[in-house]
Amino acid sequence: MKVVFFISAFFFPVLLQAQEGLQLWYKQPARTWEECLPLGNGRLGAMPDGGITEEKIVLNDITLWSGGAADNNKEDAIRYLPEIRKLLFEGKIVEAESLLQQHFLVKGRGTGFGKGANLPYGCFQMLGDLHLKYSYDNNPSLTLPTYYRRELSLENAVAKSSYTIAGVNYHREYFASFSNDIIIVRLTADQPRKISFSVSMDRPERYTSFVQGDELSMSGQLNNGTDGQGMRYRVRVKLKQAGGTLTSDSNRLVVENADTAILYIAAATDFRGLDHEQSTLSALNTAMATSYEKQKRDHIAAYQKLFFRASLSLENQRKEQAALPTDERLKAFEKDPADNGLPVLYFQFGRYLLISSTRPDLLPPNLQGLWANTIQTPWNGDYHLNINIQMNHWPLNLTNLPMLNEPFYRLVESLVEHGEKTAWSYYRSEGWIAYSSTNVWGYTSPGLGPAYGAAISGSGWLCQMLWDHYAFTKDTAYLSRIYPIIKKAAVCYSNILVKDPATGWLVTAPSSSPENSFLLSAGKSASTAVAPTIDNQVIRALFSHVMEAAKTLGRDAQLRKKLKRQQLQLPPNQIDSEGRLMEWLKPYQEKDRHHRHVSHLWGLYPGNEISLSQTPDWAAAAKASLISRGDNSTGWSSAWKINLWARLHNGERAFKLLTGLLRPATDGKSGTYPNLFDACPPFQIDGNFGGTAGIAEMLLQSHDRFIEFLPALPDAWSKGRFSGLCVRGGGEVSLRWEGGRPRTASINAVQNNTFHVKIPPGATYSVDIDGAIIGVRSQNDIMSLKLLKGQRANIVFQWK
Ligand code: FUC
């Protein structure tokens, strides 16, 4: 053990600072929805296309769902469980799968294979299209402006389109207000009386749109899949213009020759019994009684409180690429990925999307965040529990947005009562379980087919996310809130584990490794399996978390003992003849070697039972599996692999995956659309969030009992700084590095804690706490810093 004494104090730059170039911008209006710039305040979303003579703004409300509460559990499923297990243990997989398909999956039509709009399952839907038709009296035939720019600032969550026609400079500003819960569009021109346009509204189905007084409205009711009386919604649009006239006809508002005009768009649904008629009315009244400038200021201030909690900058050698419009910049990056500003932009765009697509007391971001332009959204725009909803939340704690965990917590909590019914129907078990997807109606049942629908790791994985938030925050009040949820999930798994006659291990059966299948003899394949690796890893982690929580809270001593005993009997990770981590209990060959899901690597990321320092053999096997799976896949799969390679401390490979994720998706393949939305394809927001988390994971890790700076830094990012990234144990970290080596770091304690920090090999260091010299203990290249809540440790590294 050695003791190193403090040498010098230093000051780290403050967090709240503007960063350069955090803008998406274009030289033309959007031609497709995936070129439109997304705005959102956690509930309401808007994607204006910035059109010159006609503009469409797609509107969203995150609560707008068709479908409704339904019983999807097969009451008699339990009768078939013994036989399915017997067949599985006898190796009669095909027979087991066929019995499962008939009797052990969902009752009824479930998710409708992702086409659930008119089923009880329902789907998240677009709210409507707002149509603006502009006319230019100075030159009615002119459509081509002499100047055009469309942009979105990530620093203030305001979009703009500016253009010049016949010498008149037009300017539009759009935002989804974080302070007033309303969408606002302001139109100005630099000459008087130049603003003339009409506004109307529609959607592909289930609407009436009408004008009452000076208000344009749209309302309707969605299909609940049973009696048709589903969710109701209301959109109200009002205008405030200066100069000129405001008139209307039956379904349009018309402005002529105004100097400026402001559109106020209020929308709501009756989700959770909200009085949507009244709430839209009062939102409009409040907004219209406030000046535009104040509204914008309040909006920006509310947004920045979250956004500026973390910053990142990477020295960029490609200033010329950084100056390009975002669509061209993406293309240039594919040829020359040295434009470090683009990963920074992508990182902050992910944080922007997270802040914009969820808010406490409401819903977590769904498969499309909150942005959709169709009635039947892909895969119902729902919450998939076998990677997608979890990936949506990966950046949350890492990038200092912990308050956005609340809607996720709330969704999971709401699943418990439904999952209890599912656990009872299928297993006669106490506790709760959820399979592979859910909606806003509490769906927890299995899915329609074995590959997707029989995987039982969903509830356990949700609980790992709940736990990780605790690991980051060390908030024991929160731990008390999640305890019943994670305990009941553990109780269910504990009850349904059975002894595998061949190995004596405690196994799940039936289950599946999410969406993958394996080869059997005679050209057959199946998905139904005993103890797929992900189940073992997820249950192992869940049991550890419940035991630790019970101990911390002083509860359930008997349960703790039982879980410990069972945990020791779970199947260990196994390695196949090719040196790869096995995805199933048996060394099956996967049907698709390059399958997008890498569920068996869950223990490496997002779990932490596999790590380079603690389990190097498994880490090597995980690496072999990753190599064998290959790099090309869907957007979210690339994003997952960035995180996995980061955990394997391979910065170059993680960077390669990141460049793949950022590939322009103009050819219908995976990558990134011009508006930086992730292309699965189609647009799925998980890849954005997974990419943001991956970038953070390359720069800072804390899963392995210590904090490690720059664990997977690619050569291209040799100089940079970040602030406000978070570590487990309740710490906010800032770091500045050069030549690939940490120079100065600081840890702000959000909780009392001893932070263990890996000393970069070859570095010496000095430490002060709030400016006071301290001696630091270190052992095995790990220094320990004991901090009280609110204290800051500053570390200076010296390199020979
Ligand atoms: C999982 C994935 C698909 C898609 C869907 C929404 O089922 O396997 O690729 O991302 O979720």
Side-chain angles (χ1 to χ4, degrees):
M1 190 174 294
K2 62 184 173 185
V3 178
V4 180
F5 287 98
F6 167 85
I7 298 174
S8 71
F10 78 102
F11 175 73
F12 205 88
V14 280
L15 210 60
L16 290 173
Q17 59 185 6
Q19 296 157 64
E20 272 170 49
L22 291 183
Q23 245 181 32
L24 283 70
W25 74 279
Y26 306 83
K27 284 188 191 156
Q28 68 287 326
R31 289 152 297 201
T32 63
W33 181 66
E34 293 82 0
E35 291 183 28
C36 297
L37 292 167
L39 295 162
N41 65 5
R43 185 176 73 85
L44 295 175
M47 291 193 35
D49 65 17
I52 294 162
T53 51
E54 290 188 16
E55 174 164 37
K56 183 161 91 174
I57 305 179
V58 184
L59 303 175
N60 291 110
D61 178 319
I62 199 168
T63 64
L64 188 67
W65 268 78
S66 61
D71 175 10
N72 305 291
N73 298 317
K74 282 198 155 142
E75 297 82 11
D76 62 347
I78 182 70
R79 283 180 43 209
Y80 300 89
L81 180 61
E83 183 63 13
I84 293 170
R85 284 181 168 161
K86 183 166 167 284
L87 290 168
L88 282 172
F89 291 141
E90 288 171 2
K92 294 177 179 159
I93 311 292
V94 175
E95 292 81 351
E97 184 154 294
S98 135
L99 203 58
L100 173 125
Q101 178 75 63
Q102 283 176 60
H103 300 290
F104 210 73
L105 294 177
V106 61
K107 176 170 85 182
R109 295 170 66 193
T111 59
F113 295 105
K115 300 267 186 292
N118 292 305
L119 300 177
Y121 188 86
C123 76
F124 171 63
Q125 310 198 342
M126 66 177 287
L127 176 60
D129 289 327
L130 193 73
H131 302 280
L132 302 169
K133 287 196 176 160
Y134 301 97
S135 55
Y136 302 96
D137 62 353
N138 41 19
N139 192 343
S141 64
L142 196 66
T143 53
L144 277 180
T146 49
Y147 166 83
Y148 185 92
R149 181 181 167 104
R150 189 164 60 88
E151 66 187 65
L152 167 67
S153 155
L154 303 186
E155 282 178 334
N156 58 22
V158 175
K160 294 176 184 170
S161 4
S162 311
Y163 53 95
T164 307
I165 289 184
V168 182
N169 296 314
Y170 294 89
H171 188 69
R172 301 178 202 152
E173 282 188 348
Y174 321 70
F175 58 92
S177 171
F178 278 90
S179 47
N180 269 134
D181 212 3
I182 195 161
I183 295 162
I184 297 180
V185 183
R186 189 182 68 161
L187 316 170
T188 54
D190 68 351
Q191 291 177 28
R193 303 176 64 80
K194 292 295 178 194
I195 296 181
S196 299
F197 65 102
S198 68
V199 196
S200 61
M201 204 167 19
D202 59 21
R203 74 193 296 272
E205 61 170 40
R206 292 175 182 271
Y207 78 98
T208 50
S209 109
F210 50 94
V211 171
Q212 258 174 351
D214 56 358
E215 180 189 296
L216 170 67
S217 258
M218 181 167 77
S219 66
Q221 183 168 32
L222 306 196
N223 189 359
N224 62 0
T226 46
D227 62 6
Q229 309 291 300
M231 193 180 278
R232 293 172 195 273
Y233 65 87
R234 176 80 184 236
V235 190
R236 298 177 195 265
V237 180
K238 274 196 169 185
L239 266 162
K240 211 194 250 178
Q241 101 281 4
T245 56
L246 169 61
T247 54
S248 62
D249 56 29
S250 61
N251 55 9
R252 286 186 326 157
L253 300 177
V254 182
V255 171
E256 279 171 308
N257 305 321
D259 301 333
T260 63
I262 306 173
L263 271 122
Y264 299 88
I265 305 147
T269 73
D270 64 359
F271 180 59
R272 291 189 191 141
L274 179 80
D275 183 347
H276 59 300
E277 297 291 342
Q278 189 52 45
S279 74
T280 43
L281 207 56
S282 51
L284 268 187
N285 290 340
T286 314
M288 293 186 78
T290 316
S291 79
Y292 178 79
E293 290 310 331
K294 175 166 169 31
Q295 204 123 42
K296 188 173 153 192
R297 242 188 354 259
D298 291 351
H299 157 71
I300 292 175
Y303 167 75
Q304 289 184 342
K305 262 191 206 154
L306 300 187
F307 184 72
F308 281 149
R309 291 170 64 90
S311 73
L312 169 66
S313 82
L314 299 171
E315 191 184 45
N316 197 355
Q317 310 291 343
R318 294 291 184 278
K319 296 274 190 279
E320 64 292 354
Q321 270 174 249
L324 293 172
T326 307
D327 45 352
E328 291 171 35
R329 190 175 183 185
L330 259 185
K331 288 184 196 150
F333 188 83
E334 190 181 20
K335 297 198 186 82
D336 179 4
D339 171 11
N340 287 335
L342 191 64
V344 171
L345 187 68
Y346 193 76
F347 169 84
Q348 290 294 21
F349 186 58
R351 297 184 66 248
Y352 166 83
L353 292 176
L354 193 54
I355 297 168
S356 305
S357 65
T358 187
R359 69 157 70 145
D361 286 333
L362 212 56
L363 288 166
N366 58 46
L367 282 172
Q368 300 198 177
L370 73 69
W371 298 279
N373 67 337
T374 53
I375 296 292
Q376 176 59 70
T377 35
W379 293 287
N380 299 322
D382 68 9
Y383 299 100
H384 272 49
L385 313 182
N386 62 15
I387 177 68
N388 317 84
I389 190 176
Q390 291 91 348
M391 184 176 279
N392 282 4
H393 294 83
W394 285 354
L396 193 140
N397 287 300
L398 274 175
T399 75
N400 215 339
L401 297 169
M403 61 296 285
L404 300 182
N405 181 60
E406 201 277 344
F408 175 78
Y409 161 81
R410 204 180 154 122
L411 183 85
V412 180
E413 185 193 35
S414 76
L415 293 182
V416 173
E417 59 169 311
H418 303 283
E420 282 174 339
K421 292 188 188 132
T422 301
W424 190 253
S425 298
Y426 290 77
Y427 296 100
R428 287 292 180 273
S429 170
E430 309 269 284
W432 73 284
I433 194 163
Y435 281 72
S436 289
S437 60
T438 194
N439 53 15
V440 295
W441 311 116
Y443 185 97
T444 49
S445 308
L448 285 160
Y452 156 80
I456 63 165
S457 42
S459 40
W461 193 342
L462 292 174
C463 289
Q464 181 262 347
M465 294 294 295
L466 291 181
W467 175 265
D468 218 29
H469 181 68
Y470 168 70
F472 272 90
T473 58
K474 289 286 164 199
D475 175 350
T476 42
Y478 168 78
L479 185 66
S480 304
R481 284 168 65 207
I482 65 166
Y483 183 68
I485 305 174
I486 64 174
K487 175 187 158 182
K488 286 182 188 173
V491 163
C492 180
Y493 287 120
S494 165
N495 288 345
I496 70 179
L497 288 170
V498 286
K499 196 170 196 166
D500 174 25
T503 60
W505 286 325
L506 284 182
V507 293
T508 53
S511 188
S512 67
S513 189
E515 313 207 18
N516 207 354
S517 42
F518 46 86
L519 296 174
L520 297 167
S521 54
K524 290 188 174 148
S525 65
S527 300
T528 311
V530 171
T533 300
I534 184 173
D535 286 8
N536 309 326
Q537 296 175 346
V538 164
I539 295 172
R540 220 175 350 255
L542 176 64
F543 284 7
S544 287
H545 300 153
V546 173
M547 287 187 282
E548 193 180 328
K551 199 169 163 203
T552 308
L553 300 171
R555 299 194 203 164
D556 296 318
Q558 286 307 318
L559 178 68
R560 257 155 65 197
K561 280 190 197 138
K562 183 177 177 202
L563 296 182
K564 183 76 232 166
R565 203 173 55 244
Q566 287 189 312
Q567 194 187 42
L568 293 169
Q569 296 172 70
L570 291 168
N573 291 316
Q574 300 182 83
I575 298 173
D576 73 9
S577 58
E578 293 179 54
R580 305 178 305 167
L581 211 61
M582 280 164 50
E583 185 162 355
W584 295 275
L585 197 61
K586 299 209 167 136
Y588 297 129
Q589 287 297 318
E590 58 273 65
K591 192 172 163 197
D592 172 7
R593 262 182 98 82
H594 305 297
H595 197 272
R596 61 196 180 282
H597 285 263
V598 281
S599 311
H600 50 314
L601 307 185
W602 190 94
L604 176 63
Y605 187 98
N608 63 356
E609 70 172 38
I610 300 174
S611 77
L612 283 172
S613 75
Q614 306 295 317
T615 60
D617 292 348
W618 289 344
K623 182 177 176 186
S625 292
L626 263 182
I627 292 170
S628 144
R629 273 297 212 268
D631 293 345
N632 296 332
S633 197
T634 60
W636 61 258
S637 181
S638 301
W640 193 351
K641 289 167 190 163
I642 295 171
N643 288 278
L644 288 162
W645 281 111
R647 285 273 168 102
L648 291 172
H649 292 187
N650 191 327
E652 295 313 319
R653 194 71 178 249
F655 184 65
K656 177 173 176 255
L657 264 301
L658 178 63
T659 59
L661 185 62
L662 285 168
R663 203 190 63 88
T666 34
D667 52 4
K669 296 194 184 137
S670 66
T672 295
Y673 291 114
N675 65 357
L676 297 191
F677 269 176
D678 163 60
C680 181
F683 162 50
Q684 232 175 261
I685 207 158
D686 39 24
N688 286 100
F689 293 139
T692 295
I695 291 168
E697 199 72 26
M698 290 161 78
L699 302 172
L700 182 69
Q701 291 180 9
S702 64
H703 60 283
D704 214 1
R705 298 186 203 117
F706 51 82
I707 297 168
E708 186 159 7
F709 302 130
L710 309 178
L713 190 75
D715 288 346
W717 298 354
S718 65
K719 186 173 175 191
R721 64 202 309 156
F722 64 73
S723 66
L725 297 191
C726 295
V727 288
R728 289 167 186 82
E732 288 179 2
V733 174
S734 298
L735 184 77
R736 184 176 62 77
W737 70 95
E738 258 178 63
R741 293 167 158 180
R743 300 290 159 161
T744 56
S746 72
I747 302 171
N748 254 355
V750 180
Q751 295 286 4
N752 298 340
N753 192 21
T754 300
F755 294 90
H756 305 287
V757 180
K758 183 159 183 200
I759 303 160
T764 55
Y765 60 93
S766 54
V767 182
D768 74 87
I769 293 182
D770 291 333
I773 298 170
I774 59 150
V776 175
R777 291 190 179 282
S778 75
Q779 195 174 19
N780 299 332
D781 291 327
I782 307 281
M783 67 170 107
S784 298
L785 302 170
K786 192 170 179 189
L787 298 182
L788 297 174
K789 186 173 171 173
Q791 284 187 324
R792 177 207 292 261
N794 299 307
I795 311 169
V796 177
F797 293 106
Q798 288 102 18
W799 299 85
K800 292 222 175 73

